[in-house]
Amino acid sequence: MIHNPTAASYDKAFLQIEIGYLDDASPAPVKNFYPAWMDVASCGSSGYDLPAGPSEKSGTVGVKYDGILLGVGGHMHDYAKQIVLEDATKKKSIATLQAKTDDKGLLLSMPVITFYSTGGEPLAAGDQLKITANYDNPTGKLLRAGAMGIVVGYFVPANDSALAPLRHAAKSPMPHPHDMHDMKDMPNMSHDQ
Ligand SMILES: [Cu+2]
């Protein structure tokens, strides 16, 4: 996830990612995969008000394509406890991501769970995924827009051509990654694990 937490806009900024492939991955075919976004706020604005004390928020997201979920990570904020992803249609828990926090409850990191060893988690078009985020806010006050609960994952569709209409054409030519400055001066956003 990348976002701009400042009030200033940087309209020339872009993110370029280079992923190297093995030359010969046979017998495993090289396949396209897609980011999957599973948010307790469904497809709305992700931030929500965090009440004092323990709290829980759930949302559902419908699966539109048959395929396999290869793994998931999570995005939460300070005072996070955990986020759970379940397939509500199949009544099956997919992953529980326990937040790692410091002794004040400030978020240190969220884990990544992969399903490679079992061949991936199958999802079917029409399945409803339920996402449940738990927090425990010890500050004694409501924190405006203080929480998010997002599970992000890699999805491999059963039929790759079904997702082809979602692709965007490449925009303007981008500088080669080796010409770009490295990222060591970027601020370390502790909440963006
Ligand atoms: Cu966030």
Side-chain angles (χ1 to χ4, degrees):
M1 178 172 176
I2 180 167
H3 70 164
N4 173 10
T6 72
S9 290
Y10 299 92
D11 53 4
K12 299 230 165 41
F14 61 87
L15 176 69
Q16 180 165 331
I17 300 172
E18 190 175 70
I19 298 173
Y21 287 91
L22 295 175
D23 286 338
D24 181 7
S26 62
V30 175
K31 291 186 173 179
N32 291 320
F33 64 82
Y34 296 82
W37 180 277
M38 295 155 283
D39 193 318
V40 293
S42 299
C43 283
S45 172
S46 298
Y48 61 92
D49 293 345
L50 184 63
S55 64
E56 179 172 297
K57 183 176 170 71
S58 294
T60 55
V61 173
V63 178
K64 292 188 179 162
Y65 306 93
D66 292 341
I68 299 266
L69 196 59
L70 292 179
V72 291
H75 177 88
M76 298 183 79
H77 288 194
D78 290 339
Y79 314 125
K81 301 305 272 184
Q82 65 173 30
I83 188 162
V84 175
L85 177 66
E86 326 164 57
D87 188 324
T89 304
K90 295 193 179 101
K91 302 200 186 327
K92 183 179 182 218
S93 174
I94 297 175
T96 297
L97 301 163
Q98 302 277 357
K100 192 171 161 210
T101 52
D102 70 11
D103 54 5
K104 295 189 182 68
L106 304 181
L107 186 67
L108 297 173
S109 65
M110 294 295 296
V112 169
I113 297 178
T114 61
F115 315 123
Y116 308 142
S117 61
T118 54
E121 189 68 37
L123 299 179
D127 283 3
Q128 291 293 316
L129 301 180
K130 184 178 180 196
I131 309 100
T132 305
N134 289 86
Y135 279 82
D136 192 354
N137 167 11
T139 65
K141 53 189 185 211
L142 181 142
L143 301 174
R144 286 265 167 241
M148 288 188 194
I150 308 168
V151 177
V152 289
Y154 289 146
F155 180 74
V156 181
N159 173 14
D160 189 52
S161 62
L163 277 83
L166 303 180
R167 288 201 196 124
H168 296 268
K171 289 198 178 129
S172 54
M174 289 184 171
H176 191 271
H178 300 298
D179 299 334
M180 295 172 69
H181 299 292
D182 67 28
M183 299 290 181
K184 69 178 188 296
D185 298 327
M186 294 290 283
N188 179 16
M189 306 286 290
S190 62
H191 96 288
D192 263 343
Q193 301 292 334

